[in-house]
Amino acid sequence: MKRILVTGGAGYIGSHTTLELLDAGYDVIVVDNLSRGHRKTVDPKRLREADLLDTEALTRIMKEEPVEAVIHFAAYIAVGESMKDPGLYFRNNVAGSISLMNAMQAAGVNKIVFSSTAAVYGMPAVIPIRETEPYAPINAYGETKVMIEKVLTWFDQCVGFRSVCLRYFNASGADPAARTGEDHEPETHLIPLLFQAVKTGKPATLFGRDYPTPDGTCIRDYIHVSDLARAHIGAVEWLLKGGESKRFNVGTGSGYSVKEVVEAVERVTGKPVPHTYGPRREGDPPLLVANSTALQNELNWTPRDSALERIVETAWRWYNR
Ligand code: UDP
């Protein structure tokens, strides 16, 4: 049985990918320091509690339990926080990732799937966005991901690391069997915040209604977390087969406005979403939609659960678990 090390396996996308790996017949060990993830989402026998900055601990784990590849999720993800405390982001996301790569090298592991983001593109000129768009991050979070993509390129060239960087668009939804789901503290993401508004009656704030889009609200490409998880399985399999390093967008190619998401939440929950409009959120581009044909063609991936209703319905089931 092939063993994969998942960093950040106690988090949102990491916990879904761990389930998907187990379903696909892999053995999995999870490295997480539980600073943002949840202990209850990881089977205790799989959890190795360690900090990414502890290179020695990571090396020891991989020497004691040899792994074929690493899927690296562990990172901080809040754009707003990254602008208030960039040091935290560069330390955890950049220094932490480099520490992990050093440990992999010491343990003789040279295959890695890396969680990247649409934020590497900033405000792209061409929509849908292709992987060939230049790096142009507009926030510290996006810059941390650009930096690691570049470090991985050098590790490929210098020491034969093979990597797949998956640039996620808007991860959303939950495991259809409600085994795990989205649970950030504090929550900043649209769909769970709309559920909170439905439950509490306290209005959600929609950020901006004067964008150059048909209804004036931002358009995003929402990708179901189970489809994202399957993209990671495809990426690991690609690397295990000896594939070269790749960078892929992971999205559906369809965009929905914030207002359309509100309407979908109203349809699924059967209740009105109390909401008001606020100013634009700093650093929010009007329109982000992926071109994912490279991932579809090269890794034979297709989104299966990413219809907006399906995303909202699975997320709502998890929210009410
Ligand atoms: N959004 C909003 N109100 C909120 C949270 C988000 O209007 O309370 C909008 C946000 O401006 C963006 C979209 O919802 O256009 C998706 O934001 P989210 O934070 O879920 O994901 P991100 O795009 O930041 O990854």
Side-chain angles (χ1 to χ4, degrees), residues 85-277:
D85 192 354
L88 180 71
Y89 275 68
F90 287 107
R91 182 175 159 79
N92 188 66
N93 294 9
V94 179
S97 298
I98 293 169
S99 164
L100 170 67
M101 287 181 234
N102 289 336
M104 288 172 62
Q105 218 186 335
V109 182
N110 67 356
K111 298 179 178 65
I112 180 167
V113 180
F114 176 60
S115 288
S116 190
T117 170
V120 301
Y121 301 114
M123 307 245 190
V126 184
I127 304 280
I129 305 161
R130 285 183 178 278
E131 289 84 354
T132 46
E133 273 293 303
Y135 289 132
I138 55 168
N139 52 61
Y141 164 70
E143 183 68 46
T144 67
K145 297 292 181 174
V146 169
M147 289 169 90
I148 294 306
E149 287 202 4
K150 289 186 176 175
V151 173
L152 283 168
T153 304
W154 286 106
F155 267 63
D156 182 315
Q157 192 175 316
C158 305
V159 292
F161 262 49
R162 297 291 178 260
S163 61
V164 176
C165 297
L166 295 176
R167 296 172 179 163
Y168 313 151
F169 282 64
N170 282 67
S172 49
D175 176 49
R179 294 171 294 177
T180 184
E182 188 167 14
D183 188 3
H184 295 116
E185 185 49 49
E187 190 53 74
T188 59
H189 291 111
L190 180 64
I191 294 172
L193 288 174
L194 297 178
F195 292 159
Q196 274 179 29
V198 168
K199 282 275 176 174
T200 63
K202 246 185 92 195
T205 305
L206 310 188
F207 299 141
R209 63 192 313 182
D210 58 351
Y211 282 99
T213 59
D215 66 23
T217 65
C218 281
I219 293 177
R220 294 286 177 275
D221 185 336
Y222 293 88
I223 176 82
H224 194 287
V225 65
S226 298
D227 286 327
L228 265 182
R230 283 188 282 272
H232 291 78
I233 312 294
V236 158
E237 283 171 356
W238 167 261
L239 293 174
L240 294 184
K241 276 195 318 221
E244 72 217 32
S245 294
K246 294 278 182 186
R247 311 280 176 263
F248 291 119
N249 290 335
V250 197
T252 64
S254 301
Y256 294 97
S257 72
V258 170
K259 209 152 170 276
E260 287 173 314
V261 176
V262 170
E263 287 158 11
V265 169
E266 291 183 332
R267 281 196 301 278
V268 168
T269 63
K271 298 194 173 95
V273 176
H275 63 272
T276 57
Y277 286 91

Side-chain angles (χ1 to χ4, degrees), residues 9 53 57 65 104 122 237 247 302 310:
L53 289 164
E65 300 173 278
M104 288 172 62
E237 283 171 356
R247 311 280 176 263
T302 26
R310 171 81 171 159

